[in-house]
């Protein structure tokens, strides 16, 4: 039998272009913030989600680096990678550690330091999430892969260019209420539609940015949380983890995300819940089309109706199922390895009632969806306040 | 790009060599060790036809540095006659005339190069039929 | 008897007109059009080069030959624009068509006659019994210096021939080569563009070698110009081959089928070979074809071909050369042409 797992502490570093902060500084900033928030004086093990500190900073062996600089050696630590789903994967690994009874207090962090290299090198680093030999070789980019998904979705379901733009407008509106968002400016539909073309039909305002940042959470068994947590514990009721083909062209349907669908199915089952019972979700809007496809796979919009759902306001704060009230990757920022953990941070913040201007009313259950590459790996977590 | 890595990929990039699963007939391009459909490990090497249709495409305006001189260029997912889908650039085509479903054929073309002194990378691209 | 078992051609889709080049340099387009007898030339796309065009032309030759690539005993590419200074175009060509690893390979160069050199050697090897089939390709993506006369004609194309002993579509009745040290046109290593001797490239260079080679072939064979259905000569412009044809006694009608230069410019090592493919596309069994190439530096390779019965059975197995020339074309302005041909200086 495994133990129930709760989140008792959350923390974020600053997010943005952090010229004065190094990879280790950023991680430690978030980790200490989470440790302070939890009020614990020791941790038993640590998981670090990071996509590619090796290419961005030349640094590997983050387990040792972070344990050393956080001052927690000799605890066991591991860096886990699943491209942009590294953070979500780290959350699952931390959960397993607590659930199996191997550790009582586990730190799960995610970090990415992306601005020590130029745009070309950053693009190259991000492209390692795609198939190097059979996709990247031919000159494809990530915006290009998602652009093809967008074109397919528009052709198959009549999703419009405006509906894609609405995702960006909504997420910036949410981000304007998030003091830690990298780009908290509100934007208009016209601004999105007229922004510079990156990969037809996606424009720069359809794309999430390059960000330095880290996020961290503290996990412990639910029983322990009830005793020591100063704030309402938030239980991880369920999770789902699935993979799909790494290359977009090997998927039978270019408009769907089978790993997300599978991970969601597993998460709903484990959490014994369903889409209607979810009060808010944080999803992986690396590009506007991604959010549209994801909400369909999560059951928040009918197949092909993700664009309509967005345009109707259903996914806006105050709507039926608020999506990305943090601002999402688009406005909040996307330090790759940190994103999956930051999604948990936002959900816990909301479930504790600490969302401020962007608080979702009566938020009791939240869902996070974190995916890697063009959807080759996905983690879904479902959390509930106790 | 590593010269050994480039060299290893020649059979599929130069000759469109694919693997047909001996158990379920599923075609994998490029060849694999394990069939993704049925788990079988034995394959027959086949050469794909050089004709297909454009399933979807995008036009790249901001490219990786190796391709920046080619901007804007079209990349698409093309379904070949055997049912296999490939990702490739679409060349020799007025970008305004790109259309989902258009018939294409494969030609041997330069893909990129390692600067002025490194090796040249060749492979397949699609052109309008 | 040895000869051609299969042939194939490749011409890029892009073109630039003489007017467009002249406009750029403030030159008189009409005088270039008339003086060179050229209207427009083919331009290789940025993703094309001698190797890529050789591969496509060779695939077409294989389709007509009806043989397995693994039966090819030699892969020869003649060009003055091989993509590598050291690493033969023939190895990539061989790998792409599946002729590797059991084949001899060499790259040839002799200005514009590198293609016919490859053809000459391929024929001799098959004749000597060293191998069953040999592949010879003439291909180029030649460059002319901006504003220079050569810029109006330097173009791109490829022609491939599989030589053998059986199932010929054209037997080689005679070959003859004529060469000397004549510095009419050259390019030093590390130079991007060639240089030439202006009017010296005419009489003492092109005409001397083509005429002497052609005349010797007529003498040796005992044939008269009127015995031939077609004649094809190296085509640096439209005027030279017309004139040398006349000098040798051929009519305009005999050379028109193989005269591609007015529409695609000078494909250098592809020049007379591509002209030959255009003739093979329409010739009849029993037809005799007279061919003389020219390469600056200088030399000429001459061939007399005789068409067999088999040609009509295989010529439709691949696209015809005039169809490629007159098919869908994409016209470039000088800016895009300069970018494609890497004539623009970048700091990297």
């Amino acid at each position: 039998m495994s133990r129930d797992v709760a989140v008792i502490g959350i923390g974020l570093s600053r997010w943005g272009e952090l010229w004065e902060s190094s990879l280790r500084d950023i991680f430690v900033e978030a980790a200490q913030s989470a440790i302070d928030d939890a009020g614990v004086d020791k941790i038993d093990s640590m998981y670090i989600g990071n996509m590619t500190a090796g290419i961005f900073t030349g640094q590997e062996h983050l387990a040792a680096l972070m344990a050393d600089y956080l001052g927690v050696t000799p605890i066991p630590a591991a860096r886990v990678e699943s491209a942009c789903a590294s953070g979500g994967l780290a959350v699952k690994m931390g959960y397993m550690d607590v659930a199996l009874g191997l550790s009582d207090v586990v730190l799960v962090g995610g970090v990415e330091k992306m601005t020590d290299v130029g745009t070309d090198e950053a693009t190259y680093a991000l492209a390692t999430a795609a198939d190097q030999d059979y996709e990247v070789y031919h000159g494809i980019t990530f915006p290009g892969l998602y652009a093809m998904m967008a074109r397919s979705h528009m052709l198959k379901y009549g999703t419009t260019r405006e509906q894609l733009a609405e995702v960006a407008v909504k997420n910036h509106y949410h981000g304007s209420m998030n003091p830690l968002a990298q780009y908290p400016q509100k934007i208009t539909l016209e601004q999105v539609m007229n922004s510079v073309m990156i990969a037809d039909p996606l424009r720069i305002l359809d794309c999430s940015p390059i960000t330095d940042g880290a996020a961290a959470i503290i996990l412990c068994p639910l029983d322990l949380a009830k005793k020591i947590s100063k704030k309402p514990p938030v239980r991880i009721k369920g999770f789902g983890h699935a993979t799909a083909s790494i290359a977009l062209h090997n998927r039978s349907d270019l408009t769907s995300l089978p790993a997300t669908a599978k991970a969601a199915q597993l998460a709903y089952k484990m959490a014994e819940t369903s889409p209607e019972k979810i009060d808010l979700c944080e999803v992986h809007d690396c590009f506007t089309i991604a959010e549209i496809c994801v909400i369909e796979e999560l059951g928040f919009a009918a197949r092909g109706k993700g664009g309509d759902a967005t345009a109707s306001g259903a996914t806006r704060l105050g709507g039926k199922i608020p999506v990305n009230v943090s601002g999402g990757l688009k406005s909040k920022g996307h330090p790759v390895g940190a994103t999956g953990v930051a999604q948990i941070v936002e959900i816990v913040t909301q479930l504790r009632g600490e969302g401020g201007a962007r608080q979702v009313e009566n938020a009791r259950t939240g869902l996070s969806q974190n995916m890697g590459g063009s959807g080759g790996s996905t983690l879904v977590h479902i959390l509930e306040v106790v | 790009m590593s010269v050994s890595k480039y060299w290893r990929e020649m059979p599929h990039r130069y000759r469109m060599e694919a693997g047909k699963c001996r158990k379920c007939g599923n075609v994998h391009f490029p060849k694999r060790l394990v069939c993704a459909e049925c788990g079988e490990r034995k394959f027959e090497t086949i050469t794909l036809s050089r004709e297909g249709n454009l399933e979807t495409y995008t036009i790249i305006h901001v490219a990786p540095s190796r391709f920046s001189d080619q901007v804007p260029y079209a990349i698409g997912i093309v379904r070949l006659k055997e049912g296999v889908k490939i990702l490739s650039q679409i060349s020799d085509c007025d970008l305004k005339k790109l259309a989902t479903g258009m018939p294409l054929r494969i030609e041997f073309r330069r893909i990129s190069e390692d600067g002025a002194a490194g090796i040249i990378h060749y492979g397949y691209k699609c052109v309008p039929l | 008897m040895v000869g051609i078992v299969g042939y194939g051609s490749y011409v890029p889709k892009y073109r630039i007109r003489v007017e467009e080049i002249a406009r750029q340099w403030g030159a008189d387009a009409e005088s270039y059009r008339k003086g060179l007898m050229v209207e427009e030339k083919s331009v290789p796309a940025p993703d094309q080069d001698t190797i890529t065009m050789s591969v496509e032309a060779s695939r077409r030759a294989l389709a007509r030959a009806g043989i397995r690539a693994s039966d090819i005993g030699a892969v020869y590419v003649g060009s003055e624009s091989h993509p590598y200074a050291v690493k033969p175009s023939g190895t990539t060509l061989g790998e792409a068509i599946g002729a590797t690893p059991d084949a001899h390979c060499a790259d040839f160069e002799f200005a514009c006659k590198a293609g016919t050199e490859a053809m000459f050697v391929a024929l001799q090897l098959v004749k000597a019994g060293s191998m069953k089939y040999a592949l010879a390709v003439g291909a180029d993506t030649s460059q002319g210096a901006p504003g220079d006369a050569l810029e109006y004609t330097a173009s791109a194309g490829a022609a491939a021939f599989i030589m053998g002993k059986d199932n010929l579509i054209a037997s080689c009745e005679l070959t003859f080569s004529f060469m000397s040290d004549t510095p009419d046109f050259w390019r030093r290593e590390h130079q991007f563009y060639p240089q030439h001797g202006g009017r010296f490239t005419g009489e003492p260079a092109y005409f001397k070698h083509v005429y002497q080679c052609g005349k010797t072939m007529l003498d040796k064979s005992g044939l008269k110009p009127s015995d031939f259905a077609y004649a094809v000569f190296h085509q640096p412009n439209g005027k030279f081959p017309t004139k040398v044809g006349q000098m040798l006694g051929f009519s305009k009608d005999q050379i028109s089928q193989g005269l591609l230069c007015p529409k695609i410019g000078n494909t250098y090592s592809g020049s007379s070979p591509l002209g030959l493919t255009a003739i093979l596309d329409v010739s009849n069994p029993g037809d005799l074809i007279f061919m003389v190439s020219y390469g600056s530096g200088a030399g000429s390779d001459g061939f007399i071909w005789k068409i067999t019965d088999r040609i009509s059975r295989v010529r439709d197995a691949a696209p015809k050369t005039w169809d490629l020339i007159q098919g869908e074309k994409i016209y470039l302005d000088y800016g895009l042409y300069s970018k494609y041909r890497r004539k623009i200086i970048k700091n990297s």
Side-chain angles (χ1 to χ4, degrees):
Chain A
M1 260 335 282
S2 65
R3 310 192 287 184
D4 290 337
V5 181
V7 182
I8 58 168
I10 55 174
L12 293 168
S13 71
R14 285 155 301 131
W15 280 32
E17 289 174 310
L18 310 177
W19 305 112
E20 282 103 27
S21 300
S22 68
L23 173 74
R24 65 192 83 180
D25 291 341
I26 297 167
F27 181 83
V28 169
E29 195 185 316
Q32 284 184 326
S33 183
I35 288 169
D36 292 347
D37 186 58
V40 295
D41 52 20
K42 75 163 181 60
I43 59 174
D44 301 321
S45 75
M46 178 162 75
Y47 292 89
I48 303 149
N50 170 269
M51 177 176 165
T52 178
I55 297 176
F56 283 122
T57 67
Q59 179 67 59
E60 299 283 20
H61 210 183
L62 299 191
L65 179 73
M66 301 312 185
D68 184 356
Y69 274 75
L70 192 51
V72 296
T73 56
I75 69 168
R79 175 276 196 100
V80 298
E81 180 271 330
S82 194
C84 328
S86 297
L89 177 60
V91 173
K92 174 195 161 176
M93 304 303 291
Y95 176 102
M96 282 164 54
D97 203 330
V98 174
L100 289 171
L102 299 173
S103 302
D104 279 341
V105 182
V106 174
L107 171 75
V108 174
V111 63
E112 208 78 46
K113 171 76 187 170
M114 302 173 75
T115 59
D116 275 351
V117 296
T119 315
D120 269 357
E121 190 71 6
T123 306
Y124 164 73
L126 292 170
T128 57
D131 190 324
Q132 287 309 293
D133 299 321
Y134 314 133
E135 290 186 306
V136 179
Y137 180 77
H138 293 280
I140 197 63
T141 58
F142 262 105
L145 288 168
Y146 278 91
M148 289 195 284
M149 284 193 235
R151 176 167 266 107
S152 301
H153 205 274
M154 288 158 86
L155 190 72
K156 192 168 179 183
Y157 299 117
T159 302
T160 65
R161 210 7 298 210
E162 285 79 2
Q163 287 173 336
L164 294 178
E166 291 286 5
V167 174
V169 171
K170 167 183 73 77
N171 288 348
H172 271 269
Y173 162 64
H174 291 160
S176 71
M177 297 182 276
N178 183 350
L180 290 177
Q182 183 182 13
Y183 293 109
Q185 308 89 317
K186 289 190 209 171
I187 58 175
T188 66
L189 192 75
E190 287 68 40
Q191 281 175 307
V192 182
M193 303 287 286
N194 292 323
S195 61
V196 71
M197 188 70 83
I198 302 294
D200 195 292
L202 296 183
R203 297 172 180 270
I204 189 139
L205 289 178
D206 286 297
C207 310
S208 56
I210 302 259
T211 320
D212 295 332
I217 60 176
I218 303 291
L219 302 177
C220 72
L222 181 59
D223 289 341
L224 180 62
K226 285 176 182 163
K227 285 192 215 130
I228 67 167
S229 183
K230 296 194 213 79
K231 298 186 183 174
V234 174
R235 186 179 156 207
I236 299 180
K237 272 202 81 182
F239 67 83
H241 181 191
T243 52
S245 66
I246 185 171
L248 180 64
H249 61 271
N250 281 332
R251 294 205 205 130
S252 51
D253 179 358
L254 301 173
T255 64
S256 64
L257 297 167
T260 296
K262 183 69 184 173
Q265 180 197 28
L266 292 168
Y268 285 129
K269 183 158 182 237
M270 183 175 168
E272 292 174 328
T273 189
S274 56
E276 311 76 53
K277 303 204 183 98
I278 306 293
D279 297 317
L280 74 143
C281 65
E282 288 287 303
V283 309
H284 202 86
D285 60 320
C286 45
F287 299 91
T288 49
I289 181 64
E291 180 170 315
I292 287 178
C293 293
V294 166
I295 59 177
E296 291 175 19
E297 302 294 359
L298 294 176
F300 298 135
R303 175 70 59 203
K305 299 290 182 197
D308 290 339
T310 306
S312 75
T315 58
R316 197 179 166 90
L317 181 66
K320 189 160 163 266
I321 172 64
V323 175
N324 285 339
V325 292
S326 62
L329 278 56
K330 179 71 191 73
S331 164
K332 166 164 61 71
H334 182 35
V336 181
T339 285
V341 182
Q343 290 173 329
I344 305 292
V345 170
E346 177 68 13
I347 290 171
V348 171
T349 302
Q350 291 279 339
L351 297 186
R352 285 175 177 180
E354 292 173 351
R358 63 186 197 280
Q359 177 68 46
V360 173
E361 270 187 46
N362 301 320
R364 299 204 51 80
T365 308
L367 179 150
S368 72
Q369 177 267 352
N370 182 215
M371 72 182 169
S374 60
S377 62
T378 305
L379 276 297
V380 171
H381 286 85
I382 295 175
L383 297 92
E384 195 176 77
V385 67
V386 170
Chain B
M1 174 184 314
S2 137
V3 294
S4 54
K5 188 164 144 145
Y6 174 72
W7 162 82
R8 185 179 305 130
E9 300 295 336
M10 282 178 190
H12 97 267
R13 288 192 184 133
Y14 285 17
R15 299 193 291 271
M16 308 298 291
E17 276 182 20
K20 185 170 179 177
C21 176
R22 285 200 191 273
K23 189 162 157 209
C24 72
N26 190 43
V27 177
H28 281 294
F29 177 75
K31 296 202 275 194
R32 291 189 183 208
L33 295 173
V34 182
C35 177
E37 292 294 312
C38 72
E40 171 65 25
R41 299 178 198 185
K42 290 195 171 58
F43 294 86
E44 179 200 339
T45 300
I46 64 169
T47 303
L48 297 177
S49 66
R50 290 199 174 84
E51 284 179 13
N53 289 81
L54 188 63
E55 289 250 317
T56 188
Y57 65 93
T58 182
I59 299 167
I60 304 288
H61 289 264
V62 176
S65 54
R66 224 169 56 237
F67 294 87
S68 53
D69 279 353
Q70 300 177 32
V71 157
Y73 56 93
I75 292 201
I77 290 176
V78 180
R79 186 184 291 271
L80 299 179
K81 265 163 50 177
E82 290 82 359
V84 163
K85 289 197 294 246
I86 62 171
L87 180 86
S88 99
Q89 283 192 30
I90 318 297
S91 223
D92 284 5
C93 184
D94 181 345
L95 296 179
K96 294 192 269 317
K97 294 202 177 126
L98 282 167
T100 313
M102 69 192 281
L104 302 166
R105 75 186 163 80
I106 285 175
E107 273 199 14
F108 191 77
R109 293 284 175 117
R110 280 167 88 112
I111 308 295
S112 64
E113 55 195 55
D114 268 338
I119 61 166
I120 303 167
H121 310 127
Y122 292 94
Y124 49 83
K125 288 197 188 183
C126 291
V127 298
L129 202 58
Chain C
M1 212 73 267
V2 297
I4 301 168
V5 180
Y7 69 95
S9 58
Y10 187 89
V11 180
K13 262 172 115 164
Y14 294 96
R15 302 280 183 276
I16 186 168
R17 293 187 172 98
V18 160
E19 284 77 15
E20 180 59 20
I21 301 173
R23 181 180 68 82
Q24 199 65 38
W25 298 106
D28 179 25
E30 198 49 32
S31 70
Y32 274 103
R33 249 178 179 259
K34 282 213 174 97
L36 297 173
M37 243 174 93
V38 173
E39 296 165 29
E40 56 193 39
K41 66 172 191 175
S42 61
V43 182
D47 56 8
Q48 295 185 301
D49 62 20
T50 288
I51 290 177
T52 66
M53 296 191 301
S54 297
V55 170
E56 292 300 319
S58 300
R59 285 189 175 142
R60 289 168 178 170
L62 277 164
R64 288 191 172 110
I67 64 163
R68 284 177 320 192
S70 49
D71 287 336
I72 291 173
V75 177
Y76 299 137
V77 180
S79 177
E80 53 180 278
S81 54
H82 290 290
Y84 288 86
V86 176
K87 187 180 178 299
S89 302
T91 58
T92 305
L93 168 60
E95 197 69 54
I97 62 172
T100 51
D102 300 335
H104 182 250
C105 175
D107 275 6
F108 287 79
E109 69 90 358
F110 195 135
C112 298
K113 85 166 181 76
T116 56
E117 276 176 16
M119 292 167 72
F120 177 90
V121 174
L123 282 165
Q124 307 310 329
L125 282 170
V126 172
K127 191 169 179 184
S130 302
M131 56 192 66
K132 212 168 160 211
Y133 301 107
L135 169 65
V137 182
D140 255 309
T141 55
S142 16
Q143 288 269 35
D148 181 79
L150 288 179
E151 196 183 22
Y152 293 87
T153 54
S155 66
F161 299 90
I162 295 173
M163 308 302 190
K165 269 196 171 134
D166 308 308
N167 294 320
L168 304 182
I169 55 171
S171 62
C172 185
E173 303 291 304
L174 183 70
T175 66
F176 181 71
S177 287
F178 180 93
M179 70 97 173
S180 69
D181 186 346
T182 306
D184 60 314
F185 164 104
W186 64 93
R187 184 171 67 78
R188 294 284 299 279
E189 182 140 42
H190 306 305
Q191 294 295 302
F192 195 67
Y193 297 112
Q195 297 201 330
H196 58 88
R199 287 188 60 80
F200 182 70
T201 62
E203 200 210 301
Y206 178 91
F207 289 100
K208 171 175 163 184
H209 294 77
V210 176
Y211 179 78
Q212 285 302 331
C213 180
K215 181 122 190 337
T216 307
M217 283 216 296
L218 288 171
D219 291 343
K220 278 186 164 215
S221 63
L223 294 165
K224 304 182 300 298
S226 54
D227 292 327
F228 292 88
Y230 300 95
V232 60
F233 302 99
H234 174 56
Q235 309 163 35
N237 50 60
K239 278 244 170 108
F240 278 21
T242 308
K243 184 167 173 207
V244 84
Q246 255 170 19
M247 284 162 68
L248 285 164
F250 293 96
S251 71
K252 278 198 173 146
D253 281 340
Q254 283 172 302
I255 68 166
S256 70
Q257 178 66 18
L259 189 67
L260 315 182
C261 189
K263 296 292 188 183
I264 58 169
N266 178 5
T267 54
Y268 283 47
S269 299
S271 186
S272 51
L274 266 171
L276 176 64
T277 65
I279 290 168
L280 292 172
D281 284 338
V282 301
S283 51
N284 293 313
D287 280 352
L288 283 170
I289 302 169
F290 191 85
M291 173 180 180
V292 182
S293 71
Y294 175 71
S296 289
S300 283
D301 297 320
F303 306 83
I304 292 178
W305 308 99
K306 187 171 181 180
I307 306 299
T308 72
D309 288 330
R310 187 170 167 263
I311 191 133
S312 35
R313 291 203 292 281
V314 303
R315 69 161 58 115
D316 292 334
K320 303 206 170 66
T321 300
W322 272 108
D323 290 342
L324 295 175
I325 292 172
Q326 291 168 327
E328 196 191 323
K329 298 178 267 192
I330 302 171
Y331 285 94
L332 303 172
D333 59 34
Y334 195 85
L336 208 50
Y337 157 80
S338 303
K339 181 183 166 191
Y340 282 7
R341 303 269 45 219
R342 301 186 191 202
K343 295 187 179 213
I344 300 176
I345 300 171
K346 296 181 86 182
N347 261 334
S348 55

